[in-house]
Amino acid sequence: MTTVSNYINAKKGILSWIFTIDHKRIGIMYLGFVLLAFFLGGMFALLLRLELITPNELILTARQYNQVFTLHGAIMVFLFIIPSIPATFGNFFLPIQLGTIDVAFPKLNLASLWIYVLGAIFCFYSILSGSVDTGWTFYTPYSSTAGGSIIPMVTGVFILGFSSILTGINFIVTVHKMRAPGLTWFKLPLFVWTLYATAIIQVLATPVLAITLLLLVLEKTMGLGIFDSALGGDPVLFQHFFWFYSHPAVYIMILPAMGVISEVVATFCKKELFGYRIMAYSSLAIAIIAFLVWGHHLFVSGQSPFITMLFSLLTFLVGIPSGIKVFNWIATMYAGTINMKTPFLYFLSFIFLFTVGGFTGVVLGTLSLDIHLHDTYFVVAHFHYVMMGGTVMAFLAGLHYWWPKMFGKMYNEVAAIVAFVFIFIGFNVTFFSQFILGANGMPRRYYNYIDEFQLLHFTSTVGSWLLAVGFFISLAYFISSLRSGKKASENPWESSALEWKTASPPVTQNFSTIPKRIDSGPYDYDKA
Amino acid sequence: MEKVKPLLSDGTLWIPGSYSSFSSNYDSLFYFIFWLSVIFTIAIVGVTLYFSFKYKRSESNLVAKKQIVHNNKLEIIWTAIPFVIVMFIFYWGFKDYLYMTVSPENAYEVRVTGKKWFWTYEYPETGVKTVGELVVPVGRPIKLVMSSTDVLHSFYIPNLRVKRDVVPNKYSNLWFDVTQEGIYQIFCTEYCGDQHSNMDSKLIVKSYEDFLDWMEEQKRGASKDVPLDLLGKKLYKEQGCNSCHSLDGSVVVGPSWKGIYGAQRLLADGSEVKVDDNYLRESIVYPAKKIVKGYPNIMASYAGLLSDREINGIIEYIKTLK
């Protein structure tokens, strides 16, 4: 029997990967790096939770603790969650979902990957050469006066930004120019719509972060007084600049996750997405309003009450399209035929966790409440519900959903459900206790805390162990799937989306014959 | 001595005890959104689970019964209702925020300075200064005018539901009116370095008469009667020395004070110095002049913050730490 050629075995040798311009191979390499970053960031998280099991010193000194929470945040945000879905699943599936061979600029795509690696090398150099204890937000004037290895870290993040911008440009042009004939805008899968909206934010917002970090480096090296008040600068200006990027960046993290969730719910219910057009438009609406809400990170910073009022109002408005999306996903389930497989379990957990994240976001957007809750564990729990409960759950949904297509192998469904149970329970134990802590006044970034908070901190730490068990089980069955998994058919989930109409794994050209014309939509389950 | 009010075991599960003129506003709005969220979450999860079971794939349900892509009535309802609710919440939050932001004309003013890693308070009317303890009268509006001497800090009293960033080279304001006498926890909530989590402080709320007595006592300089080494011992905690210098030989941030007096110290520039009264005084007033090898140069100057007698007190106290 001859093995069928596919993108994995088409060429041999490490160089055929390093210099590949195949979007699928680039996606797979991104997946490797991104998972490595998630592992490292996760180890740091376990270390933090272990230290916090007692109110006083246990295994880390105060400075080490501050470095570890900074690294946890920086690695999770810049190396894991921002590239997580767009750079992996986006790279792999965007061209296939458009019925084309590759992205518009394949070499630029390869450049994005290695620029990402270069940025990561700078970050690791920073860890080895003195580390950083500023928090991932690098707030001035602490960051402009503190010691440690801040400049390499900031340079690393600066470089990572270019990777993000180049991927964004590539995706925008690809969606505009590379669609198969007949594949009009409203026949695109929602995953494509969300990648498109994300790419717009990446291209427009990331340069602001790059400039801000550059100014910080200039201040540190040449004493330019921009943020440090001792030099005549304004420290709050840094916060405005920083969040002008970093709040839209929150939507860089969540929009692609919403895309994955849309694909999963349609496939596993065999239903056309409810409110498809509204879903597409609301992705763009979110991308635009995302630029106008950064000031809700500064409610207690001393910005003017009038501006504060406007930011609160806009924050409530951006919540509405997200709410509508949740209603649409649930409505999609109506009268469907629901296949209760692992990706769908992650879809269900996404709905619940994202809803909790959303409602606590309403609490934080409310001016008088944010004053009390700002910079407490309530905020920490809120963004973990949105980022981990939202994006990571969607990432896991996507990983299980597309795994058979990417690697041509099935994973063990029973093991996957066991891992899901650990991850779902572990997540809620870890972070729900933090809502109660924060609401009662426990400040974030605290190495020590008052004794009466210990029980809740202890609970949260136990939750982190459950989470770790869940992730290690996942790692085990994915490795076992690669070694000896059952061969996956072309379309194991009976999806009507385009990426399931080619071999698993796909050939290098994506389709044995490139589609001449595509007239069907991605969710045409009534025509099946 | 009276204890600090607990946070978790006082109040309800979701809010610490409520002791300011606007904390009850906070509590009502918080619980309003809380119960609304609980109801909506139960509804959302309930419908999701109901659909999951009702439309589960089975032999008799292999093809979706209907393909529905939109329903105008339903979509208008689930857009309009959340919109009205959030606008109502926005207005409520903004109204309470305005009350919290605009301090009454007759508020009693106290100046607050945040410094790595302690808070100092100064009463402009009397010139009295305290460190680590903010003493105010009950039932009167108090206005804090705050600034930092180094990095960002944030002044937070959970029981009063107030918080405000403290910024170098700028004044930020915060006001409150405490409804009950007692001792309340104050935290720093803007990350400020190694000892950020130890940068706490206490709000001591007294009756107006007790407050006036306390102020008189401070003005008389009650410390004059205390022996110097005991004064030093008191200042060790009040001035935040304890956040960096231990008494048992362990290293926190700076060198421990144990057995330090009379010892020879190796400095960062390679020279040696004997720890005597002059060296200690210099290290308190100009900490950056002589840095002990192996320690970071991060201590801020206490020039102007301590009187001569207080400096003498700290030196005498260090002498007792054999």
Side-chain angles (χ1 to χ4, degrees):
Chain A
M1 190 182 120
T2 54
T3 40
V4 189
S5 167
N6 60 48
Y7 79 96
I8 300 173
N9 64 18
K11 283 188 191 141
K12 298 255 182 291
I14 183 92
L15 289 179
S16 78
W17 283 87
I18 292 177
F19 294 110
T20 184
I21 50 167
D22 182 345
H23 65 98
K24 297 183 288 303
R25 286 188 159 204
I26 292 171
I28 295 297
M29 284 192 283
Y30 260 121
L31 182 64
F33 288 126
V34 156
L35 289 176
L36 193 66
F38 184 63
F39 175 79
L40 256 177
M43 285 296 133
F44 284 130
L46 287 173
L47 206 56
L48 294 174
R49 284 307 333 157
L50 186 60
E51 172 60 45
L52 290 171
I53 205 166
T54 66
N56 299 308
E57 179 164 330
L58 185 67
I59 47 167
L60 299 172
T61 65
R63 173 151 311 171
Q64 284 167 339
Y65 175 85
N66 296 339
Q67 290 172 345
V68 172
F69 83 63
T70 302
L71 296 175
H72 165 70
I75 289 175
M76 284 301 196
V77 170
F78 296 113
L79 288 173
F80 170 66
I81 205 160
I82 287 180
S84 66
I85 294 175
T88 59
F89 307 137
N91 254 318
F92 198 106
F93 289 106
L94 178 68
I96 304 182
Q97 290 188 329
L98 297 179
T100 185
I101 304 178
D102 209 322
V103 292
F105 307 112
K107 286 177 187 159
L108 194 66
N109 200 18
L110 182 65
S112 297
L113 171 71
W114 294 114
I115 290 171
Y116 167 84
V117 173
L118 182 69
I121 290 171
F122 270 88
C123 296
F124 288 115
Y125 171 74
S126 160
I127 298 175
L128 299 176
S129 65
S131 203
V132 187
D133 72 338
T134 59
W136 76 277
T137 48
F138 307 114
Y139 269 19
T140 54
Y142 188 79
S143 59
S144 36
T145 52
S149 189
I150 295 175
I151 292 178
M153 177 62 80
V154 166
T155 310
V157 173
F158 179 83
I159 295 170
L160 287 169
F162 282 93
S163 166
S164 192
I165 294 169
L166 295 181
T167 302
I169 292 174
N170 217 340
F171 282 9
I172 291 175
V173 178
T174 305
V175 175
H176 274 278
K177 306 304 282 186
M178 303 287 283
R179 280 174 287 128
L183 199 58
T184 53
W185 281 87
F186 287 106
K187 280 184 190 148
L188 294 176
L190 281 171
F191 185 53
V192 173
W193 272 100
T194 55
L195 285 176
Y196 183 78
T198 306
I200 291 175
I201 311 178
Q202 282 177 309
V203 172
L204 293 180
T206 317
V208 178
L209 177 73
I211 294 163
T212 309
L213 296 178
L214 196 66
L215 290 174
L216 178 61
V217 171
L218 289 179
E219 180 163 284
K220 276 187 87 73
T221 52
M222 297 164 60
L224 210 64
I226 296 167
F227 306 124
D228 186 353
S229 46
L231 301 168
D234 180 358
V236 182
L237 182 67
F238 179 87
Q239 297 178 31
H240 280 285
F241 283 177
F242 182 83
W243 288 111
F244 187 82
Y245 163 76
S246 293
H247 197 81
V250 170
Y251 296 94
I252 294 179
M253 305 175 204
I254 196 69
L255 274 169
M258 292 169 159
V260 174
I261 287 303
S262 300
E263 300 302 302
V264 167
V265 70
T267 292
F268 288 84
C269 297
K270 288 201 180 185
K271 278 286 302 284
E272 190 155 348
L273 262 162
F274 189 90
Y276 170 90
R277 279 183 184 241
I278 296 287
M279 295 285 255
Y281 287 133
S282 66
S283 299
L284 293 181
I286 289 174
I288 293 163
I289 310 178
F291 281 96
L292 305 172
V293 296
W294 80 89
H296 69 212
H297 296 269
L298 287 88
F299 284 169
V300 302
S301 73
Q303 72 184 359
S304 89
F306 178 70
I307 298 274
T308 299
M309 182 268 287
L310 284 184
F311 279 124
S312 171
L313 183 67
L314 288 162
T315 301
F316 281 113
L317 291 182
V318 83
I320 290 174
S322 305
I324 292 173
K325 276 172 179 277
V326 171
F327 297 138
N328 280 321
W329 288 317
I330 296 172
T332 303
M333 294 169 70
Y334 174 74
T337 159
I338 296 170
N339 191 8
M340 203 57 81
K341 288 287 184 345
T342 311
F344 196 77
L345 294 177
Y346 280 109
F347 161 79
L348 291 177
S349 75
F350 174 96
I351 294 290
F352 171 64
L353 302 176
F354 186 70
T355 300
V356 174
F359 281 126
T360 50
V362 170
V363 173
L364 289 170
T366 307
L367 283 174
S368 60
L369 302 189
D370 185 66
I371 304 298
H372 173 62
L373 298 168
H374 191 90
D375 274 335
T376 67
Y377 265 61
F378 196 89
V379 176
V380 176
H382 159 72
F383 69 71
H384 279 91
Y385 264 78
V386 178
M387 296 289 97
M388 191 167 180
T391 307
V392 176
M393 292 298 152
F395 178 80
L396 289 170
L399 191 60
H400 288 85
Y401 172 51
W402 280 314
W403 181 270
K405 180 57 63 187
M406 290 193 291
F407 297 102
K409 301 277 181 66
M410 300 303 287
Y411 49 83
N412 184 322
E413 182 72 19
V414 177
I417 291 173
V418 172
F420 166 79
V421 171
F422 271 101
I423 289 172
F424 181 73
I425 295 176
F427 177 87
N428 283 295
V429 172
T430 308
F431 294 108
F432 201 81
S433 44
Q434 297 186 6
F435 278 128
I436 306 175
L437 277 172
N440 280 285
M442 168 77 209
R444 66 191 287 202
R445 296 177 169 177
Y446 260 33
Y447 166 66
N448 296 330
Y449 52 85
I450 54 177
D451 294 341
E452 54 173 325
F453 287 142
Q454 191 178 3
L455 182 63
L456 284 163
H457 271 295
F458 177 81
T459 312
S460 179
T461 302
V462 171
S464 74
W465 298 336
L466 296 176
L467 262 175
V469 170
F471 281 116
F472 279 113
I473 296 173
S474 300
L475 184 66
Y477 65 74
F478 278 131
I479 289 174
S480 136
S481 159
L482 286 181
R483 291 160 65 108
S484 57
K486 212 174 89 212
K487 201 175 163 350
S489 65
E490 189 174 295
N491 189 2
W493 315 122
E494 301 167 30
S495 173
S496 71
L498 196 54
E499 71 266 27
W500 299 100
K501 290 177 181 158
T502 180
S504 303
V507 294
T508 303
Q509 304 291 307
N510 290 344
F511 301 92
S512 45
T513 47
I514 295 293
K516 287 217 169 49
R517 187 173 172 81
I518 296 170
D519 286 313
S520 58
Y523 314 115
D524 284 351
Y525 288 97
D526 53 334
K527 288 170 195 149
Chain B
M1 204 184 124
E2 208 187 337
K3 275 196 179 148
V4 184
K5 280 221 172 15
L7 293 172
L8 201 57
S9 50
D10 193 18
T12 66
L13 178 65
W14 287 98
I15 45 178
S18 195
Y19 299 105
S20 73
S21 60
F22 39 64
S23 55
S24 62
N25 293 2
Y26 171 96
D27 302 348
S28 320
L29 182 50
F30 181 90
Y31 269 113
F32 174 75
I33 304 178
F34 178 84
W35 287 115
L36 206 68
S37 306
V38 168
I39 293 166
F40 272 96
T41 305
I42 289 173
I44 287 170
V45 172
V47 171
T48 309
L49 291 180
Y50 173 72
F51 284 177
S52 299
F53 289 106
K54 182 148 193 243
Y55 303 115
K56 199 169 168 15
R57 190 169 300 176
S58 63
E59 285 305 316
S60 59
N61 183 30
L62 283 174
V63 181
K65 297 276 180 300
K66 283 176 253 178
Q67 293 289 347
I68 308 163
V69 286
H70 68 95
N71 178 328
N72 281 340
K73 207 194 260 173
L74 196 61
E75 289 177 75
I76 288 170
I77 289 174
W78 75 36
T79 307
I81 291 180
F83 179 79
V84 171
I85 293 176
V86 295
M87 283 304 105
F88 176 66
I89 292 172
F90 159 74
Y91 173 73
W92 189 344
F94 177 58
K95 194 179 59 109
D96 288 352
Y97 169 79
L98 276 188
Y99 176 73
M100 297 168 81
T101 304
V102 184
S103 57
E105 296 262 322
N106 60 346
Y108 184 84
E109 197 175 296
V110 184
R111 298 194 88 90
V112 178
T113 306
K115 186 174 173 122
K116 285 182 195 170
W117 289 280
F118 57 93
W119 298 98
T120 54
Y121 308 100
E122 186 169 358
Y123 298 80
E125 283 182 15
T126 59
V128 165
K129 272 190 215 171
T130 63
V131 179
E133 286 180 352
L134 170 60
V135 182
V136 299
V138 71
R140 295 190 179 230
I142 312 293
K143 179 181 175 186
L144 305 184
V145 181
M146 309 189 291
S147 192
S148 163
T149 60
D150 39 43
V151 297
L152 299 175
H153 301 284
S154 193
F155 190 85
Y156 176 37
I157 311 175
N159 285 122
L160 310 186
R161 316 282 190 266
V162 292
K163 180 183 292 130
R164 193 71 192 249
D165 283 1
V166 179
V167 182
N169 215 10
K170 244 184 199 175
Y171 298 108
S172 48
N173 300 326
L174 178 156
W175 83 274
F176 53 77
D177 184 341
V178 196
T179 54
Q180 202 184 92
E181 291 170 37
I183 306 177
Y184 302 91
Q185 189 73 50
I186 299 173
F187 291 122
C188 173
T189 48
E190 186 64 68
Y191 174 71
C192 57
D194 287 0
Q195 298 298 308
H196 168 52
S197 57
N198 289 334
M199 190 170 162
D200 61 347
S201 186
K202 304 285 175 278
L203 171 72
I204 301 175
V205 182
K206 297 175 183 288
S207 70
Y208 191 62
E209 292 71 34
D210 288 354
F211 173 74
L212 291 179
D213 289 349
W214 173 84
M215 190 59 85
E216 279 308 307
E217 204 179 312
Q218 295 297 311
K219 276 197 280 192
R220 280 202 307 274
S223 61
K224 274 186 187 132
D225 312 327
V226 183
L228 278 177
D229 57 336
L230 287 183
L231 173 65
K233 189 175 180 181
K234 183 164 152 265
L235 291 169
Y236 171 69
K237 280 201 181 124
E238 286 181 1
Q239 292 286 347
C241 313
N242 58 347
S243 58
C244 299
H245 301 282
S246 79
L247 300 180
D248 58 5
S250 64
V251 175
V252 186
V253 175
S256 173
W257 285 1
K258 186 187 161 107
I260 195 179
Y261 191 80
Q264 288 284 341
R265 308 290 290 189
L266 185 61
L267 300 181
D269 62 8
S271 60
E272 279 202 14
V273 67
K274 185 172 188 293
V275 177
D276 57 13
D277 291 46
N278 275 321
Y279 167 76
L280 288 174
R281 185 185 171 90
E282 184 185 64
S283 294
I284 294 168
V285 183
Y286 302 111
K289 274 202 171 173
K290 295 196 176 98
I291 300 297
V292 181
K293 197 174 166 60
Y295 291 93
N297 174 17
I298 50 173
M299 180 169 157
S301 167
Y302 277 76
L305 279 172
L306 296 173
S307 68
D308 277 351
R309 188 164 191 274
E310 286 170 325
I311 293 174
N312 295 343
I314 289 172
I315 296 171
E316 289 305 321
Y317 178 53
I318 291 175
K319 285 181 186 171
T320 66
L321 301 166
K322 295 277 161 45

